[in-house]
Amino acid sequence: MAQTERSGCPINLTLEQLGDRWSLIVIRDMMFGNRRSFGELLAHSEEGIATNILADRLKRLTAAGLLSRAPDPAHRQKSVYSLTEASIQLVPLLAHMGAWGRRHTPVSRELSVRAELLEKGGPPLWSAFMDELRHLHLAARRPPRSVFADFQSAYEKALARRARRSKP
Amino acid sequence: MAQTERSGCPINLTLEQLGDRWSLIVIRDMMFGNRRSFGELLAHSEEGIATNILADRLKRLTAAGLLSRAPDPAHRQKSVYSLTEASIQLVPLLAHMGAWGRRHTPVSRELSVRAELLEKGGPPLWSAFMDELRHLHLAARRPPRSVFADFQSAYEKALARRARRSKP
DNA sequence: GAATACCACTTGCATTTAGCAAGCGGAAAT
DNA sequence: ATTTCCGCTTGCTAAATGCAAGTGGTATTC
């Protein structure tokens, strides 16, 4: 989708930037899954993103200032992609998408736990998460608590609960 | 975009429902512009939606339970489209899209005033607006204040301010 | 050093979606 | 009867997505 600026409405302009099938999925995976390289994003894509689409989106989002890219100091073939302040500020938007989706679409329980926590935690939790993302992606100071760790442990609990529930 | 349920993640499922170029634009126009017919949505489309896309989206959103359609009692050729509870619950999402767009995209001042009010008003204002939309679209009780009227007058003030500013 | 594996894409082709504008058929107005 | 209105539909082109093989450079293994 070309950047066409069909109108100056903020909702429209946000959609022109992010309103395709895959951009927010890439940002979600970096944000919640801490995927930072092409290979990680590809290998762990729940939705099965194609290589050409992933390459295209990483390039576009980087050009638009929503991601940044640096060489991986540990491995010369790889780049490390990071969120920028602009993409970190999408946390409330993604939280609302998660909340709406939990209510109106047939979500899987395990993949919903983060959305549930974000909804329950509200704006204070979102701010804490954004601070943590600034630490992980922008070299900001480490915040006192890890929202990320909360998400992970809730997800693992949900997986364990499911494994227990599916016992014969 | 076919409904493929590539994963059970709520963000992904929300995107599968609404993550195309036009669905949220149609919902926005119904919500904020009170456009209720095919002809109105077409004639007042700031972004110039094409007739085949509009027809397709109205059909899809209706089938998905995000819009409802009834014959227009005043005019036999027309239908009246209404938001449903599911689409009314998109207000916070659209509010956040507007807020993000105001910060990160080159918005026009006049078309941003609603987004600015929604951001300033926060969740209490969103709830009031949703109640008003339930009145307008779902025959719920009329709420005490009109958020809609606030939006309109702010928009008209911004237009007047622009007209005054462009005087030679 | 040669062979193999890894890495991030790129490519070629098919399918789907968006975009433009004329066209269609029925209803309403003149 | 003719013209206009109304909500689409259609035919065609352009753009985006999707699949899977291919490419070229780097790193590791034998």
Side-chain angles (χ1 to χ4, degrees):
Chain A
M1 181 172 349
Q3 299 280 36
T4 56
E5 293 189 19
R6 287 170 172 261
S7 84
C9 163
I11 290 168
N12 171 63
L13 291 172
T14 297
L15 279 171
E16 291 192 2
Q17 193 81 270
L18 296 167
D20 62 281
R21 173 75 184 83
W22 290 106
S23 293
L24 284 173
I25 295 287
V26 172
I27 287 168
R28 180 205 65 189
D29 285 354
M30 290 182 66
M31 202 178 264
F32 295 101
N34 204 37
R35 312 297 182 202
R36 306 291 294 271
S37 72
F38 183 96
E40 280 186 299
L41 283 159
L42 193 67
H44 293 97
S45 168
E46 290 274 352
E47 292 81 20
I49 190 170
T51 57
N52 58 332
I53 303 299
L54 179 56
D56 179 69
R57 287 307 178 283
L58 288 172
K59 180 183 295 186
R60 274 205 236 165
L61 290 168
T62 303
L66 294 185
L67 300 185
S68 65
R69 175 180 172 160
D72 186 337
H75 197 314
R76 291 264 302 277
Q77 292 183 294
K78 295 185 172 184
S79 297
V80 180
Y81 291 91
S82 301
L83 298 170
T84 63
E85 183 61 26
S87 46
I88 288 167
Q89 287 181 18
L90 288 167
V91 164
L93 179 62
L94 290 167
H96 275 289
M97 286 177 73
W100 190 90
R102 282 182 65 237
R103 257 190 206 93
H104 298 288
T105 65
V107 296
S108 99
R109 204 176 159 71
E110 294 70 44
L111 293 174
S112 298
V113 293
R114 290 180 188 88
E116 191 176 352
L117 289 181
L118 281 167
E119 192 178 359
K120 279 188 187 158
L125 184 68
W126 308 342
S127 291
F129 188 45
M130 285 193 271
D131 282 343
E132 190 171 8
L133 290 170
R134 289 182 187 109
H135 166 63
L136 291 171
H137 290 256
L138 302 182
R141 190 174 56 187
R142 170 189 285 274
R145 66 178 284 211
S146 175
V147 178
F148 206 75
D150 292 349
F151 289 159
Q152 273 307 107
S153 83
Y155 178 62
E156 278 152 16
K157 270 195 208 132
L159 283 185
R161 203 176 299 137
R162 186 177 81 170
R164 227 187 301 141
R165 240 198 288 134
S166 68
K167 264 197 202 277
Chain B
M1 185 174 343
Q3 297 280 34
T4 54
E5 295 189 17
R6 285 170 175 263
S7 84
C9 161
I11 290 168
N12 171 63
L13 291 172
T14 296
L15 280 171
E16 293 193 0
Q17 193 79 272
L18 295 167
D20 63 283
R21 173 76 183 81
W22 291 105
S23 293
L24 285 173
I25 294 286
V26 171
I27 287 168
R28 179 205 65 187
D29 285 353
M30 291 183 67
M31 201 177 263
F32 294 101
N34 204 38
R35 312 299 180 198
R36 306 292 292 272
S37 72
F38 184 96
E40 280 186 299
L41 284 159
L42 193 67
H44 293 98
S45 169
E46 288 274 339
E47 292 80 21
I49 190 171
T51 58
N52 57 332
I53 302 300
L54 179 57
D56 178 70
R57 288 304 180 285
L58 288 173
K59 181 183 295 186
R60 272 206 236 165
L61 292 167
T62 302
L66 294 185
L67 299 185
S68 66
R69 174 180 173 164
D72 186 338
H75 196 314
R76 293 267 300 279
Q77 292 182 292
K78 295 186 175 186
S79 298
V80 179
Y81 291 92
S82 301
L83 298 171
T84 62
E85 183 61 27
S87 47
I88 288 167
Q89 287 181 18
L90 289 166
V91 164
L93 178 60
L94 290 166
H96 275 289
M97 286 176 74
W100 190 90
R102 281 181 67 236
R103 265 196 198 89
H104 298 289
T105 65
V107 298
S108 99
R109 200 174 162 76
E110 293 71 42
L111 293 175
S112 299
V113 291
R114 289 181 188 88
E116 189 176 355
L117 289 181
L118 280 168
E119 191 178 0
K120 279 187 184 160
L125 183 69
W126 308 342
S127 292
F129 188 45
M130 286 192 273
D131 283 341
E132 191 172 4
L133 290 170
R134 289 179 187 110
H135 166 63
L136 290 171
H137 290 258
L138 302 182
R141 194 175 52 188
R142 169 188 284 278
R145 67 181 282 212
S146 175
V147 178
F148 205 76
D150 292 348
F151 288 159
Q152 274 306 108
S153 82
Y155 179 64
E156 277 152 17
K157 270 196 210 132
L159 283 185
R161 205 178 297 135
R162 188 177 78 170
R164 228 187 299 138
R165 243 199 286 134
S166 67
K167 261 197 202 291

